[in-house]
Every structure is written in C-alpha cells, then in structure tokens.
C-alpha cells in the first residue's frame, strides 16, 4: 500500500490544461510512494471524461465519481474513504506542487510526531505569473485562528488517524467555502497541532481582479463557522469581535479590497 494518499476534488473544471499541469506536478514529485485519488464531484460538463484520460498518465492515479454535485467537503471525504495512505495530502486543481514538496513535508511530519498538520508558505500566481507570497505563521496557536485560517489548505499533509479522530471534513451548508477552517479548528480543539514550513513548496492561484472572491452569503457562512470554531477553542467572548470580520470584508467595495489584497501578498 502507498504511504501517502493525495486527494483532490474537481467540479466543472474551467481550465483543463491547468488541471493537467496540477496533476503532472504531483507525478513529478521526487517522493514516489503515493496514490492520487481525484473525485469528480458530480460535474455536468466533460470534466469526468478529461479526468479519465489523465488517469492514463500514471497507474497511481484513481478517479472516483458520483452523479450529484455535493461540495468539496463531501468529495474529499469520499477520497479519504477509499485512501490507503497513512498520510493525507491535499492538492487543488488549479495549483502546482513544486517537485520537493512531498518529500520535505513528509520528512518533517515523520520526524516531528507532535504535529498532525504540516503545511508551507507559497508563491501566489495568476494568468500573468507570480505576483505575491502567501505567508503563514510557523507554529500556529489556538488564538492564531482568530484572524484567519493559519494553514494554506491545499499545501498541507495530515495524519490520517488525526483526520479520523475528528470525523474528517464536516459536510454542512456553512462549510461550503471554508471546510478547511472548520476542520483545522476542530483538530486544534482536540489538542492536535500543526506547523508551517517556511519554504515555498507550492504555487497557489489567486486572481485579484474586480470580481468578488466570495459573496455575502458565503461570508455569513464563514461567520457561522468562526462562531462554532471559536467556541470549541475557548476563544470567546473575545472571538465575537472576529466573528463579524468576514461580513465586514464583504461590505468593502471590491476596488478597495483589490488594493488590500495586493498589499497583503
């Protein structure tokens, strides 16, 4: 059985060439003992057919699917259910893992049993190339969650036993765009910890344009996730000040938010 299971959820992929590049970046890893489970989350276009073609590139790639779109949390849980690895690695369909990512993250988590989550910082890019850097705290604490999630979700490797301890990803309306934030807070509430390698091992796509990244309804969902998570982490009542943060962000005109994001990265 492979030591590592890389998991990805895909729904109606708009850029098949980028999806292929993302898959190839896993195939090109210097670490080789992995399986790559990709779940087609009930796509209504030709995504599944493309994935079946990409499956032929490497016999370690496994494609699973179902008919109805159920969201990323559900798709990732399905991947975990059929996984064989001791470690679960995330990868998004429009991102790139640099060649040494798996080896460096796995070496670290194996040599540091006190950590259940290991991520990294990343290059931020769009169609014009790299335009920023995704910086993260090296050793996140519970209070680090107040401002935002202290991990870049698609960059992490996690111990499968730790994921099972909290029941995997929570499938709910409010976790549609922040399943990772919810998961990591539940893991920390159980006494688990994480670490971010201060090396750019991942290339993360963020398009910083005039389009709203998340609409108000998703920001309200995030506020609900924050309230539940902060309560579990015993961060109340101070946490109430941060619960409303996503709603405040949603009210900022996009032209100003674009400037803020440019300075952020």
């Amino acid at each position: 059985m492979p030591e590592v299971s890389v998991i990805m959820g895909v729904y109606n992929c708009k850029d098949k060439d980028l999806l292929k590049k993302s898959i190839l970046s896993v195939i090109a890893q210097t670490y080789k003992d992995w399986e790559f489970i990709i779940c087609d989350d009930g796509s209504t276009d030709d995504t599944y057919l493309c994935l079946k073609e990409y499956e032929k590139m490497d016999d370690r790639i496994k494609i699973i699917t179902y008919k109805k779109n159920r969201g990323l949390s559900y798709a990732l849980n399905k991947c975990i259910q059929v996984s064989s690895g001791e470690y679960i690695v995330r990868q998004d369909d429009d991102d790139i893992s640099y060649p040494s990512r798996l080896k460096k993250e796995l070496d670290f988590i194996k040599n540091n049993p006190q950590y259940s989550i290991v991520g990294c910082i990343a290059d931020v890019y769009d169609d014009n190339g790299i335009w920023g850097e995704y910086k993260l705290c090296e050793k996140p604490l519970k209070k680090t969650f107040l401002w935002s999630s202290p991990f870049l979700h698609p960059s992490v490797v996690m111990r499968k036993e730790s994921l099972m301890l909290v029941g995997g990803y929570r499938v709910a309306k409010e976790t549609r765009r922040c399943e990772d934030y919810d998961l990591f807070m539940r893991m920390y509430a159980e006494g688990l910890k994480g670490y971010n390698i201060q090396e750019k091992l991942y290339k993360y796509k963020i398009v910083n344009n005039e389009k709203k990244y998340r609409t108000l309804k998703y920001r309200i969902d995030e506020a609900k996730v924050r309230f539940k998570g902060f309560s579990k982490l015993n961060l109340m009542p101070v946490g109430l000040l941060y619960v409303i943060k996503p709603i405040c962000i949603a009210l900022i005109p996009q032209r100003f938010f674009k400037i803020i994001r440019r300075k952020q990265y």
Side-chain angles (χ1 to χ4, degrees):
M1 293 188 296
E3 186 176 35
V4 169
S5 298
V6 183
I7 63 173
M8 174 190 287
V10 185
Y11 173 68
N12 286 357
C13 180
K14 295 180 177 63
D15 191 334
K16 305 299 193 302
D17 288 336
L18 186 52
L19 169 60
K20 184 176 181 179
K21 289 178 181 178
S22 181
I23 294 172
L24 286 172
S25 77
V26 174
I27 294 175
Q29 292 294 300
T30 57
Y31 176 87
K32 301 298 183 183
D33 189 15
W34 50 261
E35 64 178 353
F36 193 177
I37 305 169
I38 306 174
C39 180
D40 169 55
D41 184 23
S43 295
T44 57
D45 60 5
D46 64 344
T47 294
Y48 177 68
L49 296 177
C50 287
L51 287 173
K52 290 301 289 183
E53 285 299 311
Y54 299 156
E55 186 179 35
K56 298 174 184 177
M57 295 189 298
D58 195 294
D59 59 11
R60 293 169 292 181
I61 298 174
K62 303 175 183 178
I63 308 299
I64 61 175
T65 189
Y66 38 79
K67 292 184 178 180
K68 184 179 179 181
N69 174 242
R70 296 180 178 274
L72 184 58
S73 294
Y74 186 93
L76 296 180
N77 281 341
K78 294 298 287 186
C79 291
I80 295 169
Q81 286 174 15
V82 302
S83 66
S84 303
E86 180 181 354
Y87 301 97
I88 301 295
V89 171
R90 278 286 288 113
Q91 173 82 18
D92 272 351
D93 64 357
D94 57 356
D95 297 338
I96 302 297
S97 286
Y98 292 144
S100 63
R101 175 202 166 188
L102 288 187
K103 184 180 187 306
K104 290 184 176 180
E105 289 184 349
L106 284 164
D107 283 348
F108 186 91
I109 201 168
K110 289 178 182 178
N111 292 319
N112 293 274
Q114 69 271 35
Y115 294 115
S116 295
I117 311 162
V118 173
C120 64
I121 60 174
D123 284 318
V124 173
Y125 85 106
D126 59 18
D127 293 338
N128 296 316
I130 295 173
W131 63 269
E133 182 180 31
Y134 202 104
K135 299 177 182 179
L136 292 162
C137 173
E138 186 174 8
K139 298 178 180 179
L141 305 173
K142 287 183 178 181
K143 64 181 180 180
T144 314
F145 284 90
L146 287 171
W147 187 251
S148 63
S149 175
F151 300 101
L152 176 58
H153 184 208
S155 82
V156 302
V157 54
M158 298 173 282
R159 298 183 191 276
K160 187 176 181 179
E161 63 179 1
S162 299
L163 275 172
M164 295 298 96
L165 177 67
V166 299
Y169 291 90
R170 185 165 67 91
V171 180
K173 175 180 174 292
E174 66 263 25
T175 62
R176 290 176 297 178
R177 291 292 185 274
C178 46
E179 72 291 325
D180 54 333
Y181 203 0
D182 178 83
L183 172 68
F184 298 143
M185 285 193 285
R186 288 187 291 113
M187 292 177 77
Y188 264 66
E190 289 292 333
L192 304 174
K193 296 188 298 182
Y195 183 93
N196 286 309
I197 297 172
Q198 299 299 293
E199 181 180 353
K200 289 181 281 188
L201 304 174
Y202 199 76
K203 191 162 74 166
Y204 184 57
K205 188 172 185 180
I206 297 179
V207 178
N208 191 25
N209 54 25
E210 300 301 327
K211 183 180 178 181
K212 279 279 187 180
Y213 176 60
R214 287 181 182 168
T215 58
L216 179 59
K217 68 177 181 179
Y218 293 128
R219 296 294 185 180
I220 293 173
D221 287 343
E222 183 184 339
K224 294 177 182 178
V225 166
R226 283 171 174 259
F227 182 83
K228 291 179 180 180
F230 296 166
S231 297
K232 289 180 180 291
L233 293 173
N234 296 316
L235 293 173
M236 296 298 195
V238 174
L240 287 172
L241 297 173
Y242 296 88
V243 166
I244 62 172
K245 178 203 166 193
I247 298 175
C248 294
I249 289 176
L251 299 176
I252 298 174
Q254 184 60 23
R255 62 182 181 277
F256 295 130
F257 188 64
K258 180 180 177 181
I259 297 171
I260 293 172
R261 174 170 278 183
R262 177 66 65 172
K263 291 183 178 180
Q264 177 183 2
Y265 298 115

